[in-house]
Amino acid sequence: MKYAVLGDIHANLEALTAVLEKARELGVDGYLCIGDIVGYNANPRECLEIMRLLNCEVVTKGNHDEQASSEMELVGFNPQAARAIEWTRRQLSEEQRVWMAGLPYRQTIGARMTLVHATLDMPHMWGYVFDKYSAEVCLGYQFTQICFFGHTHVPLAFEKYGTVVGGPYEEVRVQANHKYLINVGSVGQPRDGDPRAAFVTYVPDEHLVQLHRVEYDIHAAQGKIIAAGLPDRLAQRLGVGR
Ligand code: ZN
């Protein structure tokens, strides 16, 4: 089995299409998603339909998915993100909203893997894991060997074997009795200074997690953001990966 783990797609159809093409090239035969399918970019309907047709084994809910599928007051979002969520609410069908609203915050697959968008301790509070200290808290609530997560849009891997170490990665060799908390990076709005789309593959039998970066038509995605009347800043940030 070779899984692709996708997250923080954020309605970026060009990035998602490029990532799925790469996944097919790599021989992926199972899909997992840690959430935030919508928000920020201009193709929420299309990205949602593609993700649903993929028949992912698990999709967990992101904070943008939660907000876009409800009429909740927007708290804790910057003004550009809030504008994009209001816009996204008007794009989705009722059926799409109901599907997103029903997604779980976290999900465990067998004895091996857990998926969550933000953190395991209080997944609905949307905290951030960005260093080994916040990783350690999250690892305290992790009862499988591997947990894939997202939310910061920065691919980092943390490993616990006694103490917690971690940082940027290209691949992780999974060792017995070690625990791993792995941020899969963002398909649709990377923020680590590399504008290419990010996702990981995981082959349980080979104990191997690999990060992949994929070029896509950023210019086309930016043009759609402007044409939709979404904030310019959301187009600009795709070009610099911030
Ligand atoms: Zn996100």
Side-chain angles (χ1 to χ4, degrees):
M1 189 79 189
K2 187 176 213 171
Y3 288 105
V5 194
L6 317 184
D8 291 295
I9 295 155
H10 285 300
N12 187 333
L13 181 61
E14 286 69 26
L16 178 59
T17 308
V19 158
L20 293 179
E21 202 176 299
K22 178 74 176 178
R24 274 189 288 271
E25 270 171 42
L26 292 169
V28 163
D29 46 17
Y31 290 88
L32 304 166
C33 176
I34 56 88
D36 270 2
I37 297 171
V38 303
Y40 291 124
N41 300 306
N43 287 111
R45 271 195 308 268
E46 295 81 357
C47 289
L48 250 176
E49 284 320 293
I50 289 172
M51 290 309 292
R52 291 174 67 182
L53 288 169
L54 273 182
N55 275 321
C56 294
E57 209 169 308
V58 169
V59 181
T60 55
K61 191 192 286 184
N63 52 321
H64 288 252
D65 304 329
E66 176 163 271
Q67 291 292 342
S69 60
S70 79
E71 294 298 324
M72 269 185 255
E73 206 187 319
L74 292 165
V75 185
F77 284 83
N78 72 49
Q80 291 126 16
R83 261 179 68 193
I85 285 175
E86 277 160 6
W87 179 86
T88 301
R89 283 176 176 168
R90 297 194 300 272
Q91 308 302 313
L92 301 176
S93 69
E94 180 58 22
E95 199 261 336
Q96 287 179 318
R97 274 196 294 273
V98 168
W99 184 84
M100 275 205 302
L103 295 173
Y105 286 113
R106 77 183 133 195
Q107 183 86 41
T108 294
I109 307 167
R112 224 174 220 158
M113 249 193 292
T114 304
L115 266 69
V116 70
H117 185 67
T119 72
L120 287 171
D121 48 337
M122 289 187 285
H124 58 289
M125 296 301 287
W126 314 113
Y128 292 91
V129 172
F130 48 84
D131 59 24
K132 65 178 181 180
Y133 305 104
S134 41
E136 188 149 22
V137 175
C138 194
L139 281 155
Y141 292 82
Q142 183 179 322
F143 305 109
T144 57
Q145 188 176 28
I146 300 181
C147 176
F148 293 110
F149 77 108
H151 196 40
T152 63
H153 300 202
V154 176
L156 296 175
F158 299 95
E159 180 176 1
K160 181 171 179 162
Y161 184 68
T163 56
V164 175
V165 294
Y169 69 100
E170 278 171 20
E171 61 174 49
V172 176
R173 300 254 164 208
V174 177
Q175 300 182 63
N177 302 320
H178 294 223
K179 256 196 216 174
Y180 300 87
L181 176 61
I182 299 173
N183 188 310
V184 301
S186 171
V187 170
Q189 195 196 71
R191 294 182 192 160
D192 60 343
D194 182 343
R196 294 176 299 169
F199 74 105
V200 309
T201 51
Y202 172 44
V203 184
D205 290 344
E206 294 173 12
H207 312 285
L208 181 63
V209 176
Q210 288 177 300
L211 178 68
H212 304 275
R213 301 306 290 253
V214 186
E215 303 221 12
Y216 72 95
D217 191 347
I218 292 177
H219 197 73
Q222 289 172 321
K224 288 180 182 175
I225 291 168
I226 306 295
L230 289 162
D232 289 2
R233 160 96 181 104
L234 296 179
Q236 288 156 13
R237 66 188 302 175
L238 292 183
V240 288
R242 289 285 177 204

